[in-house]
């Protein structure tokens, strides 16, 4: 708790006071935390292995064995291409793995979200109350504003969509952001005070 | 003297920080004196839904899933408070699962540095119910860097292992609509929330019970049953009062001219 | 109760989501197979964006801060391909730099393949230069505006900047006539505003994701002369600048792909209203 | 086209399809793809962080900056969490991370998320007066009302009755519009991503790689 208080207060002080030694300490601390967190990197591998092994223990079929081995094959593919080729993670070999698998799956995950957003709206966008109508108005009008066909044939949808976004959305969003920020600050102050229960529980 | 050593534009932030710190001191004292109680707060229905969801999971013999976001283990970013709240909920859900003997699956975020805290919260939850032996490290799942593998793996877990209650609290980015909607489709009781306003819509539309924005912090205080955390809710409300006051002063000063208002906020 | 469940009102509100998924997928695939060429309305942000480039005098220097993301390529590709084509069609000097690692990767993958500067009669080092990736952030943008050589000693092929003829007289904001700023993190709009627009009154246009557009709008047209948000406005630029690209297909597919969702939305509400007026049910799912 | 490009396109197509099948139901193709991605993502995380440790700690240390041994050592202490008896040691490096994180959060939140929000609300209003358009004034007033009422919705220590009750109700309407707008902004972006992936499979993988068009 003392370490948290000292490091935290130093960082806050560096924000308020432009004193060179304090800024120096801030620079050192921020570079240290990058190293500390990066050094914990293998921890993830340990937990990945624990849960993979447990899943295999539960179901010792050949198919499950294939599922269990698969992550390690791709793990090795990535690691070898980063370590064995000149340029490391900038090598064309690593970029091949990165682009075709990592980036590509990432882009597809975003694509899938269209469908989940659509089905959730089918379920919840019902004109059942003032609040629901407000939700639908904010959602549907701005959606139509972004579709070229509606921009052409219902031109007034463009200013109306923009208005929803820039006026009521801004007002509501601002209030919500301020409320959440205050709550975050209170947790922060309590943490530096040494009274954050979560950290006490976790030792 | 003080103004001389302050960086430009930090007087207003300093006053706000001082107000909140002083309020922390006063309300902590009240908390120790036993004057702060959860029943003085506005009700948040989603809290009761968590216990209901654990009961549902036991009845259906399906696991309880806890997710704090693919990138929900941030310890040294501006979102650290949300990580801490998510850990408080994790401790709570671990206690409930230990108490009602429900199976718990924790989908860990990719930040490996948060794993020690996550494991400690779950262990402590089981210990608090006197059931340390029921804790299984394999309930903590890790899926590597980024949202893509996390989203896929969490969805696969709902599908393959079943889902009774899905509790999602913490830092969520654009990835959460998939996991939330899939849990819903697989028959989960979906409960959750995030402090990131831009993503709250996903929770509002996909959850059966939602914590809207700041409500996760308030609910975190209520479930902790800790007077100091509850005192935090009063401090937050005082902060809102101060903010509205500042807004009012800004509006009055603005009558003197836009530049006067701009100068006030630039302090 | 069973009887109610079999009525059309119930069925319309409880269609299996997978029908929505399949129909949407078909709606997206059809225009990809057979583009329809549906019309596009060009908005003021796009016109401003185009005009900022089009009105530059011959020989002007354009800096392109290329903070693109590989995972979000689909949202940005139409924007940057159209921008490059419009730039290379004109007598301008173009300086690319990459504040994101993916930006550098995408330039390697797409410049010279999708858009070939040489086919517009441009020569590397004389008419355009590419500086690679540097983790710039806001501080880096500030440094670029003061002293480019303080950030980049060499181009992406490790060739010292002083050996490139185009770079002879270019080293700071005063040598640049237009900034085009590509970014994917919505709040990054503030970087060029604070570091280029406010101190140097630099003419600036930006290109970003659809969801970031609302945060760019308040700066238009006072601080930025134009903006593109999402592939939709990328398409508008293709149409307005007469430089066809992948955006047209995107717009067509969006027009058709969204229809199943709109139909489901209407059905869901008809179901709700039907149930409400027939049986007085007000509970929503 | 060189064979690595062909293979890359086919691998990419497999992963796109495997992810899309998730919408239908769990199946072996999806599971295989998903397991592969776990391995890939874990490896990518290790590569990124190893590079970071190497650049930010090892190289400077070899250059004489021995102080960096401290964060490296603290990082290694995190692994004590793996053994129950010495798990308590991990609290020290965690404390440094949380301390710095909290400090950064407090510093960044005070102005950016609270004071500047107030500033924008006030200045928008007065600037709208100087702009002289009634519509601008109305809009800025609505933003002001939205901000105030939304804040009142988030009060918890007072019952939402009387004036506070009305204000909170109005705030909830503003909040709902905001949620809807956020939903919409993302929906259309994701539609673009869907089209992009489908176009990649149809126009590149099938038409060019497989059919050689």
């Amino acid at each position: 708790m003392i370490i948290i208080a000292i490091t935290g207060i130093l960082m806050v002080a560096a924000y308020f006071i432009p004193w060179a030694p304090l800024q120096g300490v801030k620079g050192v601390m921020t570079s240290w935390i990058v190293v500390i967190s990066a050094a914990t990197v293998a921890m993830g591998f340990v937990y990945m292995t624990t849960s993979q092994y447990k899943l295999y223990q539960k179901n010792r079929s050949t198919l499950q064995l294939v599922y269990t081995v698969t992550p390690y094959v791709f793990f090795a593919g990535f690691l070898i291409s980063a370590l064995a080729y000149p340029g490391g993670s900038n090598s064309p070999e690593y970029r091949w793995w990165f682009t075709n698998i990592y980036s590509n799956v990432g882009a597809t995950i975003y694509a899938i979200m269209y469908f989940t957003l659509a089905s959730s709206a089918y379920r919840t966008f019902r004109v059942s109350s003032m609040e629901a109508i407000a939700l639908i108005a904010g959602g549907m009008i701005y959606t139509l504003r972004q579709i070229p066909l509606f921009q052409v044939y219902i031109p007034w949808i463009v200013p109306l969509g923009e208005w929803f976004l820039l006026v009521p959305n801004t007002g509501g969003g601002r209030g919500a952001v301020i409320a959440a920020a205050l709550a975050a600050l209170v947790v922060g102050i309590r943490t530096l005070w040494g009274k954050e229960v979560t950290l006490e529980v976790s030792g | 003297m003080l103004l001389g050593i302050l960086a430009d534009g930090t007087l207003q932030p300093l006053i706000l920080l001082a107000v909140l710190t002083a309020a922390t001191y006063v309300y902590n004292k009240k908390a120790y004196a036993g004057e702060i109680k959860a029943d003085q707060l506005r009700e948040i229905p989603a809290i009761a839904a968590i216990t209901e969801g654990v009961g549902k999971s036991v009845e259906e013999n399906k696991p309880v899933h806890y997710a704090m976001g693919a990138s929900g283990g941030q310890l040294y970013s501006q979102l650290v408070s949300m990580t801490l709240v998510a850990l408080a909920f994790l401790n709570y859900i671990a206690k409930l699962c230990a108490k009602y003997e429900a199976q718990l699956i924790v989908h860990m975020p990719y930040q490996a540095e948060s794993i020690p805290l996550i494991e400690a919260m779950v262990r402590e939850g089981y210990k608090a119910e006197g059931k340390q032996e029921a804790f299984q490290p394999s309930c903590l799942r890790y899926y590597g860097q980024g949202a893509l593998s996390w989203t896929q793996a969490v969805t696969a877990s709902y599908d393959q292992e079943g889902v009774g209650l899905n509790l999602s609290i913490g830092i969520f980015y654009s990835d959460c609509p998939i996991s939330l909607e899939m849990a819903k489709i697989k028959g989960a009781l979906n409960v959750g929330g995030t402090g990131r306003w831009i993503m709250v819509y996903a929770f509002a539309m996909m959850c059966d019970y939602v914590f809207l924005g700041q409500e996760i912090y308030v609910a975190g205080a209520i479930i902790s049953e800790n007077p100091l955390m509850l005192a935090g809710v009063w401090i937050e409300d005082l902060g809102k009062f101060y903010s509205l006051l500042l807004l009012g002063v800004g509006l009055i000063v603005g009558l003197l001219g836009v530049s006067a208002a701009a100068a006030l906020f630039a302090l | 109760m069973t009887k109610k469940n079999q009525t059309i009102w119930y069925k319309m509100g409880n269609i299996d989501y997978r029908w929505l998924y399949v129909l949407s997928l078909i709606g997206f695939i059809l225009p990809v197979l057979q583009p329809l060429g549906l019309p596009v309305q060009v908005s003021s942000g796009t016109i401003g964006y185009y005009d900022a480039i089009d009105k530059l005098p011959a020989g002007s220097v354009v800096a392109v801060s290329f903070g693109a993301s590989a995972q979000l390529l689909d949202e940005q590709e139409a924007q940057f391909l159209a921008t490059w084509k419009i730039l290379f069609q004109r007598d301008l000097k173009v300086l690319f730099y990459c504040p994101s690692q993916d930006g550098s990767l995408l330039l390697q993958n797409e410049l010279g393949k999708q858009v070939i500067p040489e086919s517009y009669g441009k020569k590397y080092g004389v008419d355009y230069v590419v500086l690679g990736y540097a983790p710039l952030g806001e501080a880096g943008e500030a440094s670029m505006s003061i002293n480019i050589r303080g950030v980049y000693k060499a181009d992406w092929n490790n060739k010292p900047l002083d050996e490139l003829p185009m770079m002879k007289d270019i080293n700071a904001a005063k040598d640049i006539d237009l900034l085009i700023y590509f970014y994917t993190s919505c709040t990054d709009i503030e970087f060029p505003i604070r570091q280029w627009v406010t101190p140097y009154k630099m003419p600036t246009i930006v290109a970003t994701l659809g969801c970031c557009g609302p945060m760019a709008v308040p700066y238009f047209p006072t601080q930025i002369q134009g903006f593109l948000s999402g592939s939709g406005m990328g398409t508008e630029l293709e149409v307005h600048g007469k430089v066809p690209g992948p955006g047209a297909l995107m717009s067509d597919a969006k027009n058709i792909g969204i229809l199943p969702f709109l139909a489901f939305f209407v059905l869901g509400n008809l179901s709700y209203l039907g149930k409400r007026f027939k049986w007085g049910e007000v509970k929503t799912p | 086209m060189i064979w690595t490009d062909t293979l890359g396109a086919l691998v990419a197509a497999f992963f796109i399809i495997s992810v899309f099948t998730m919408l239908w139901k769990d199946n072996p193709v999806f599971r295989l793809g998903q397991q592969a991605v776990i391995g890939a993502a874990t490896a990518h995380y290790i590569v990124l962080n190893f590079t970071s440790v190497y650049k930010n700690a090892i190289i400077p240390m070899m250059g004489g900056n021995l102080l960096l041994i401290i964060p490296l050592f603290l990082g290694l202490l995190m692994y004590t969490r793996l053994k129950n008896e010495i798990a308590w040691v991990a609290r020290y490096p965690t404390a440094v991370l949380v301390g710095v994180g909290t400090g950064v959060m407090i510093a960044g939140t005070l102005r950016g998320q609270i004071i500047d929000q107030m500033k924008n609300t006030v200045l928008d209003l007065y600037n709208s007066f100087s702009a002289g358009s009634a519509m601008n004034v109305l809009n800025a007033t609505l933003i002001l009302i939205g901000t105030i009422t939304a804040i009142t919705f988030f009060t918890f220590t007072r019952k939402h009755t009387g004036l506070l009750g009305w204000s909170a109700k109005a705030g909830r309407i503003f909040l709902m519009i905001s949620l809807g707008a956020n939903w919409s902004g993302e929906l259309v972006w994701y539609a673009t991503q869907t089209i992009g992936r489908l176009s990649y499979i149809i126009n590149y993988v099938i038409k060019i790689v497989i059919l050689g068009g």
Side-chain angles (χ1 to χ4, degrees), chain B residues 16-154:
Chain B
L16 175 58
L17 184 62
V19 168
L20 292 175
T21 309
T24 305
Y25 177 75
V26 172
Y27 279 98
N28 279 3
K29 273 182 104 173
K30 282 191 172 189
Y32 283 127
E35 291 171 34
I36 301 275
K37 291 195 174 63
D39 56 13
Q40 295 163 321
L41 296 175
R42 169 159 77 74
E43 202 186 330
I44 302 176
I47 297 175
I50 298 175
T51 318
E52 182 197 323
V54 174
K56 172 181 175 283
S57 304
V58 174
E59 230 170 72
E60 295 173 353
N61 194 24
K62 287 178 182 169
V64 169
H65 291 252
Y66 184 75
M68 49 198 282
S71 183
Q74 299 180 33
L75 293 181
Y76 55 92
S77 79
Q78 291 212 13
L79 303 175
V80 59
S81 301
M82 252 182 265
T83 308
L84 295 178
V85 169
L87 289 169
F89 272 94
L90 175 59
N91 185 243
Y92 179 65
I93 194 74
K95 274 186 208 165
L96 286 181
C97 286
K99 187 174 172 186
Y100 296 108
E101 295 179 355
Q103 188 201 340
L104 174 66
I105 295 174
V106 180
H107 302 291
M108 295 197 290
Y110 76 77
Q111 287 91 354
E113 64 270 20
S114 67
I115 294 177
L117 278 173
I118 292 171
E119 188 180 330
M121 295 313 280
V122 181
R123 265 186 204 283
E124 285 304 315
Y126 277 88
K127 201 169 152 191
E129 293 295 322
K131 292 181 180 168
Q132 294 97 308
E133 73 293 340
F135 168 71
Q136 303 227 340
S138 63
C139 78
L140 306 177
R141 308 285 171 78
Y142 185 79
Y143 312 118
Q145 165 98 29
L148 49 127
S149 65
W150 191 90
T151 306
Q152 270 189 303
V154 172

Side-chain angles (χ1 to χ4, degrees), chain A residues 16 18 33 37 40 44 47 51 54 102 109 112-113 117 119-120 123-124 176 179 183-184 195 197-198 201-202, chain B residues 5-7 10 14 32 76 81 84 87 112 115 117 119 124 138 142 145 174 177-178 181 197 205-206 214 217 226:
Chain A
F16 286 110
I33 55 168
S37 65
T40 58
Y47 278 85
S51 47
K54 201 76 189 173
Y102 193 87
I109 288 284
I112 292 294
M113 268 182 277
L117 254 59
S119 60
S120 71
R123 189 172 61 242
T124 49
K195 301 289 181 196
V197 188
T198 314
V201 169
S202 66
Chain B
I5 61 166
L6 279 184
T10 56
L14 185 65
Y32 283 127
Y76 55 92
S81 301
L84 295 178
L87 289 169
I115 294 177
L117 278 173
E119 188 180 330
E124 285 304 315
S138 63
Y142 185 79
Q145 165 98 29
S174 297
I178 294 188
E181 182 67 1
W197 182 249
M205 291 176 63
M206 294 163 185
Q214 193 217 340
Y217 294 97
N226 180 287

Side-chain angles (χ1 to χ4, degrees), chain B residues 222-237:
Chain B
I222 294 172
I223 56 163
S224 76
E225 295 174 355
N226 180 287
L228 291 184
M229 282 183 80
L230 285 168
V233 183
W234 269 265
I235 305 164
E236 287 159 24
D237 273 11

Side-chain angles (χ1 to χ4, degrees), chain C residues 231-259:
Chain C
S231 74
M233 289 179 84
T235 314
E236 293 177 19
L237 186 64
E238 287 176 1
V239 173
H240 191 64
K242 299 186 182 64
V243 281
L249 178 150
M250 291 275 179
S251 289
D252 271 357
K254 245 186 258 179
N255 286 331
I256 307 298
I258 198 90
L259 296 179

